[in-house]
Amino acid sequence: MYQDHVSKSGGPAPARPKAAPVPLARGREFLSIPGPTNVPDVVLQAMHRPAVDIYADELLATTGHCLETLKAVFRTEGSTYIYIANGHGAWEAALTNTLSRGDHVLVLESGRFARGWGDQGEFLGLTIEVLPGDWRKAVDPAAVEARLKADTLHTIKAILVVQIDTASGVVNDIPAIRAAIDAAGHPALFMVDGIASVGCMEYEMDRWAIDVSVTCSQKGLMMTPGLSFVAASPKAKAAHRTAGLRTAYWDWSARDLPENYRKFCGTAPEHMLFGLEASLGLLFEEGLERVWARHLGLASAVQAAVAVWAEGGALEFNVLAPAERSPAVTTILTPGFDPQRLRDFTRHNAGVVLGSGIGDLTGRAFRIAHMGYANAPMVLGTLGATEVALKTLGIPIGDGGVQAALTALQRHFGTPA
Amino acid sequence: MYQDHVSKSGGPAPARPKAAPVPLARGREFLSIPGPTNVPDVVLQAMHRPAVDIYADELLATTGHCLETLKAVFRTEGSTYIYIANGHGAWEAALTNTLSRGDHVLVLESGRFARGWGDQGEFLGLTIEVLPGDWRKAVDPAAVEARLKADTLHTIKAILVVQIDTASGVVNDIPAIRAAIDAAGHPALFMVDGIASVGCMEYEMDRWAIDVSVTCSQKGLMMTPGLSFVAASPKAKAAHRTAGLRTAYWDWSARDLPENYRKFCGTAPEHMLFGLEASLGLLFEEGLERVWARHLGLASAVQAAVAVWAEGGALEFNVLAPAERSPAVTTILTPGFDPQRLRDFTRHNAGVVLGSGIGDLTGRAFRIAHMGYANAPMVLGTLGATEVALKTLGIPIGDGGVQAALTALQRHFGTPA
Amino acid sequence: MYQDHVSKSGGPAPARPKAAPVPLARGREFLSIPGPTNVPDVVLQAMHRPAVDIYADELLATTGHCLETLKAVFRTEGSTYIYIANGHGAWEAALTNTLSRGDHVLVLESGRFARGWGDQGEFLGLTIEVLPGDWRKAVDPAAVEARLKADTLHTIKAILVVQIDTASGVVNDIPAIRAAIDAAGHPALFMVDGIASVGCMEYEMDRWAIDVSVTCSQKGLMMTPGLSFVAASPKAKAAHRTAGLRTAYWDWSARDLPENYRKFCGTAPEHMLFGLEASLGLLFEEGLERVWARHLGLASAVQAAVAVWAEGGALEFNVLAPAERSPAVTTILTPGFDPQRLRDFTRHNAGVVLGSGIGDLTGRAFRIAHMGYANAPMVLGTLGATEVALKTLGIPIGDGGVQAALTALQRHFGTPA
Amino acid sequence: MYQDHVSKSGGPAPARPKAAPVPLARGREFLSIPGPTNVPDVVLQAMHRPAVDIYADELLATTGHCLETLKAVFRTEGSTYIYIANGHGAWEAALTNTLSRGDHVLVLESGRFARGWGDQGEFLGLTIEVLPGDWRKAVDPAAVEARLKADTLHTIKAILVVQIDTASGVVNDIPAIRAAIDAAGHPALFMVDGIASVGCMEYEMDRWAIDVSVTCSQKGLMMTPGLSFVAASPKAKAAHRTAGLRTAYWDWSARDLPENYRKFCGTAPEHMLFGLEASLGLLFEEGLERVWARHLGLASAVQAAVAVWAEGGALEFNVLAPAERSPAVTTILTPGFDPQRLRDFTRHNAGVVLGSGIGDLTGRAFRIAHMGYANAPMVLGTLGATEVALKTLGIPIGDGGVQAALTALQRHFGTPA
């Protein structure tokens, strides 16, 4: 090494005391958290521009284009709405536009977020019933069917579920739940939170007969936080006509009017719309199906590494069944150590920001996101830094996690040509 | 001229047919509309950066700093809230946090926006009473006092007013209205929309005993659209405790909790917060009082020019009394011509975007904004282009409007040294 | 005014002491200097991107596109070269590629820059002869013809001239000088510095039989400083083959090779090329002839204002003959005052940066640029701020300078429709 | 996996035909080439701003600050110069400022670049003698000493060497070469090209008695290409006084004058200076010694991986002795395959841009850069993608290259805490 070299001939080498190794963190930070995800440079670039008149043709075109493209994102012929809000705002928009005080709503639990949505409904005066689930398992379609069959009077007006729970890392089988609703012959509105899934995996609003879809800008859609999106089926629009919780800001009817300012109940979020137009452009330039397949490929690498690490006994998948682990984020329980030590190490020494456990998993888990604008070396770099950190911290892990990830990617790309 | 020169010796000069003069518009567009206003370059620059972990120290510091600085903006010791929303969202937040279905609210009309706020209240189930006003006049404090004195049972729970109406260009005398409320000994919540005024003119929430203040990012605060701000007095916070219209997304109680994600009911609008921090920095670097004085100086130039143009009879101030014309935006009625012709000319030929008349003034007015990140040459350039356009279009105007603006600025700067 | 209003009812108005008026400068700085000129936002945006492999297809395409487009800029079929350098680098490239130590060169003086180019030649070992000129007049083609006719042995190898002298504000009649050379039947290389003119006014390299053209990025071409451009005619390329001053860095022969790194003698200036591509795009989107006509229109406004101001006796045009005043920059002598006082006032109080006098005019002049990305309100704002400053400083000027500028623009746009 | 899931209940899974696997490349491109390197976001941000007057205080301060900070970069008390040019321009500046036509110069070969520098000298009329070296070995100090001892008349005026050869990946032992020169008692100017090393490894201009140092912006200094830097010792400045090759553009004497425009021989490259100020800020915020140690750590990972891969026989280190492999770039020969296949695969499928072999190694090597703004996950991601590519392409490599890199990093960070 050059270092020895210098020692001999030119003077002392840079001191590297054992106790405080030099960080290898300077470089682009690896933001491996499940939202906000990495914002592509072209998206940030599109937002860096002067403001325009809110009546300018360019802005009207961008707005129309975004609303149309969101239909392709949700795979729906229904109506789409853009809210200046985060996902919680979209939740509120979904509920207030379709329901009335006292309405009975069934929440399908599988982690933190369906319950959180239900809590918002309770605040609004809805009657929330939680179909009990488990942070470590997907919603059981059979249980949904059974509960709905029991509701012979069709008291339940809406069913809330997330496709991917960002906290637990569970992916729910939305078409199977749809099938369960159909099997029960139940007319409730089917509302799906695709916040951590739309733009990451298959989402088929019309084919799966979803009535209200919700997502936001800062995960699969690769934009900065600040926008959220709702899509409504004709059945949801019908419910809207008699909904008692409607408020002017979220109201679909006003937003269906032609004037541009109506579409945002006031001033349009110009810069974010220009950014959204760019990020949606990236999505369709790559091709939605290819985006989904990319997420599957990346997830296979992460899951392969974690499976090996877990052999050491200090950590394990939060989600028990492999088929229920999401292609966008992996939640890892840490029975053997304090996950904050790991997160501090990777951030400080390698510039890798891992997600923390949240909700019930606070202090008991960490999360690796593999969603949005993410490619193979980003995932491998994150896994590599994590493995080095685990080893350096003396946490017992199975050997060869990153090696297994490489093998998974090699499998993705196929046998040698 | 060089042109003749070339004609003689080198060949034909560039053709400039009379019928289609070459535009002189290429250069930075002059956005002279009352919001969004010009976003300073350092603000756009601050937003052009990678996303960060929503739990990152830097973001927590920025959030805390913005919330504190907003107190200095509103001049209050009360609580401040940042909403991912435009001004209409802040309106809804103000009402839902403090009132209950059926509450009686008095709206002080002076243009479009107080009524619009009232309309949102009506949608929420409030009982809205409009104290009739005039688009061409400020609210009459005496009329307010009389109406409140008549409300002996104190049925009225809240009074809504705007400081500047962006549509009419009226500035209301908020301290005088406060004095009227006090004279009537009325306990109603005093809610002021400072959307077009905060950051442009004196606004003294605590000194004027305002209970709820509302403003947004894209006018005097020089940020991109997408954020709005509410400040609440202790009296408003007390009303909040029993308010029936509260919803989770807007709710102050949750936002008063310490966790950062509570402050936004979910994911923080990171990039906009970084931009806001930069724009608030500009405001206080200049000094709030100096910002207000700058707006007065610029307004004096615009008003001087319009007063001269008006002598031609084709246009006139919308606001009749000089003292009621706002220091942030000037609305000009166009009895003698179609204002769209003017706006098209200045945009196409000079790169100047004038505001259109809106609401009752649609098609009957244009507006010149002099708010936010605006200096003398921006205003003079806008006035100059407007005067050239009016002349070229053959619209009769008094001679010397821009000249009068120069004189007004000279008066601002004082007598020769 | 609102101010009085507040005084009565709400408290003291913002103090505006006569002695230190509040500046009206906050807003976008008006950079009215003759280079660097205002860089369009889309150009800065194009430069804000990750680096790419210097062998990437995109960069090769951009390079090729820029080199081709520069031919259209210079109006030549000759060869174009992009240097990572400012204009002085391009000067050196022009001389070293075509001449040999001891070669006799005729410099046509009309201000600072042709002489400066000559000085660089002297440093290189060329024999420089200056055809004496005047900072206040264009080069006299008859004097050129006379001098060349006297050179019966054709000792003179090259003639250096600027089209516009950025310091004096003179525009030389290049086709007339070409005609003079032709009339003398002289074979010297004709080298023209178009640094302050290309992209601002007609420049016809091939039609005017120019052998070497030089310009740079930061004036009419609206880019950041750091690139300069040279174009060479076949005659210049022939001279190149025997030139003794050639060095590897500037050498045309290497740059004519196909590999991309050859075109820059090493690593390509990627970000600047992406910016240049964007700025050239703007130029041709508008249309070169229209760009020239825009400059003529803007110059007519500036010249009208200065002519009126000059009636006061304190200032005057540097260039005596109106036909010799350039359409890109106007130099104004200030016999009656210290120009620094004016520049300080406009910058501090109005955010307008005027150019200073340079070279022989240091401390005796100021300059107003009207070149590059400039439109009517930018020029009017600059003139307005200047007039207010002159008046406030008590400098005697004729009344109505800005008014005359407005009239000039109105004349540009034609009679009322 | 979710995919099977969907197959059962919801419809066909996304097709992933074996023949054309979906790329996993969308995400931030990994630019793993030895220059331009990754430009930090804050540097690009600093460049995205309006132009300023070249006489503005801010620009003067930035220029002075950069010139001073470059002394700390080179570790010298000598003079520093900033050229608007790439590294080849700095080469020309170094030679022309110190030498005269016919001067004898000794070039120490160890790859492509010292010879390239010598070629430029030959073009300038210098007499170039190459001390023959080897692309696979560092310069032998003993050979240098021997050659210089033979030059009893001190005909050799200058010695040119690179610290790191970007093409071969060799690092030369500069202090050992200095010791050889001293041992020979030779007075020649010692000129070192630190283009691929300054900012990456120890460089001690004054301690090692270097007379002229050369580097550029786009490698260890993390800026966009377009600037290069030269530092001169008092001995070099003395030689300058009689140097015959001097030209105005590169000349040190003019640049030593106080006026700012002198420092760039014309217009300053404003935006690049603002960027440079930001990138130098990053360098010293981290600490120069820590930057060097970071590069050593990253290099240890890359070298560990390549050593393992090489066991398969299809590839090998270009540099034979481990101690002579540079800490900034690793050059890998590919006797067993066409390296373009590898580069195409990683770029297309993983978004990783590997460096190509250049010069004598064109078509026979690839390069992995680990220089500049680079951290552990960037290197691990690049290595990971490369290993997957090599395996997928069926190229025989030793197993466990990335695993070895992880171990190297773990060794860097120390034993478990």
Side-chain angles (χ1 to χ4, degrees), chain B residues 34-352:
Chain B
T37 58
N38 292 283
V39 185
D41 288 293
V42 295
V43 173
L44 290 171
Q45 200 187 35
M47 297 175 69
H48 193 151
R49 49 170 294 171
V52 298
D53 188 359
I54 53 172
Y55 304 102
D57 290 343
E58 182 186 7
L59 185 63
L60 304 188
T62 293
T63 302
H65 178 71
C66 287
L67 285 168
E68 272 311 303
T69 307
L70 285 168
K71 293 186 186 186
V73 168
F74 283 121
R75 304 264 185 155
T76 186
E77 305 277 317
S79 303
T80 48
Y81 304 96
I82 299 173
Y83 290 100
I84 314 171
N86 55 26
H88 286 63
W91 278 353
E92 194 150 309
L95 300 177
T96 59
N97 269 294
T98 54
L99 299 169
S100 299
R101 191 170 288 262
D103 277 353
H104 191 111
V105 171
L106 183 68
V107 168
L108 310 184
E109 185 182 24
S110 63
R112 177 186 176 81
F113 287 100
R115 292 205 62 149
W117 195 1
D119 291 345
Q120 278 207 311
E122 191 160 17
F123 204 115
L124 288 166
L126 299 172
T127 300
I128 300 298
E129 174 189 341
V130 176
L131 183 72
D134 190 317
W135 275 61
R136 307 193 68 176
K137 286 187 197 147
V139 169
D140 177 9
V144 175
E145 186 177 334
R147 176 62 191 91
L148 293 177
K149 280 185 172 161
D151 181 33
T152 51
L153 296 178
H154 293 171
T155 306
I156 294 168
K157 297 297 179 215
I159 300 162
L160 311 186
V161 69
V162 300
Q163 187 174 25
I164 292 178
D165 189 277
T166 323
S168 69
V170 160
V171 57
N172 287 311
D173 187 341
I174 301 301
I177 296 171
R178 173 75 260 172
I181 300 170
D182 291 346
H186 201 285
L189 293 170
F190 187 32
M191 301 195 186
V192 180
D193 168 327
I195 286 176
S197 63
V198 168
C200 302
M201 63 176 286
E202 195 179 19
Y203 189 92
E204 299 282 357
M205 179 160 173
D206 286 1
R207 190 143 61 82
W208 298 344
I210 294 166
D211 294 304
V212 181
S213 294
V214 166
T215 196
C216 66
S217 53
Q218 78 271 11
K219 299 191 195 253
L221 301 194
M222 308 182 291
M223 245 292 290
T224 62
L227 293 181
S228 55
F229 315 106
V230 173
S233 73
K235 187 168 146 190
K237 297 295 282 286
H240 170 72
R241 286 194 282 277
T242 58
L245 288 173
R246 290 164 56 179
T247 78
Y249 189 67
W250 307 115
D251 200 56
W252 291 343
S253 295
R255 286 168 186 253
D256 284 335
L257 295 173
E259 299 90 349
N260 205 54
Y261 78 90
R262 295 287 194 178
K263 307 208 172 305
F264 305 99
C265 191
T267 301
E270 304 185 344
H271 294 77
M272 290 196 286
L273 292 173
F274 292 126
L276 179 64
E277 189 173 38
S279 74
L280 294 177
L282 284 177
L283 213 58
F284 286 90
E285 186 183 78
E286 184 175 0
L288 215 46
E289 288 83 358
R290 291 167 80 84
V291 170
W292 302 337
R294 172 164 55 81
H295 280 79
L296 286 174
L298 298 176
S300 73
V302 174
Q303 291 166 1
V306 173
V308 169
W309 294 339
E311 293 165 10
L315 57 81
E316 60 183 292
F317 283 108
N318 177 56
V319 177
L320 297 168
E324 297 179 355
R325 292 172 192 153
S326 92
V329 57
T330 298
T331 301
I332 299 142
L333 301 180
T334 55
F337 62 98
D338 175 1
Q340 193 57 37
R341 287 181 64 213
L342 171 66
R343 296 183 70 236
D344 287 346
F345 189 101
T346 59
R347 187 174 57 80
H348 180 69
N349 286 303
V352 171

Side-chain angles (χ1 to χ4, degrees), chain A residues 28 31 36 44 48 51 53 84-86 88-89 92 218 224-225 247 249-250 261 264-268 270-271 343, chain B residues 31 36 48-51 53 84-86 88-89 92 112 218 224-225 247 249-250 261 264-268 270-271 343:
Chain A
R28 188 160 235 240
L31 191 65
L44 290 171
H48 193 152
D53 188 0
I84 314 172
N86 56 26
H88 286 62
E92 195 150 307
Q218 78 271 12
T224 62
T247 78
Y249 188 67
W250 307 114
Y261 77 91
F264 305 99
C265 191
T267 300
E270 304 184 346
H271 295 76
R343 296 184 69 235
Chain B
L31 190 65
H48 193 151
R49 49 170 294 171
D53 188 359
I84 314 171
N86 55 26
H88 286 63
E92 194 150 309
R112 177 186 176 81
Q218 78 271 11
T224 62
T247 78
Y249 189 67
W250 307 115
Y261 78 90
F264 305 99
C265 191
T267 301
E270 304 185 344
H271 294 77
R343 296 183 70 236

Side-chain angles (χ1 to χ4, degrees), chain A residues 269-289:
Chain A
E270 304 184 346
H271 295 76
M272 290 196 286
L273 291 173
F274 291 126
L276 178 64
E277 188 173 39
S279 74
L280 293 176
L282 284 176
L283 214 57
F284 286 90
E285 187 183 78
E286 184 175 1
L288 215 47
E289 288 83 357

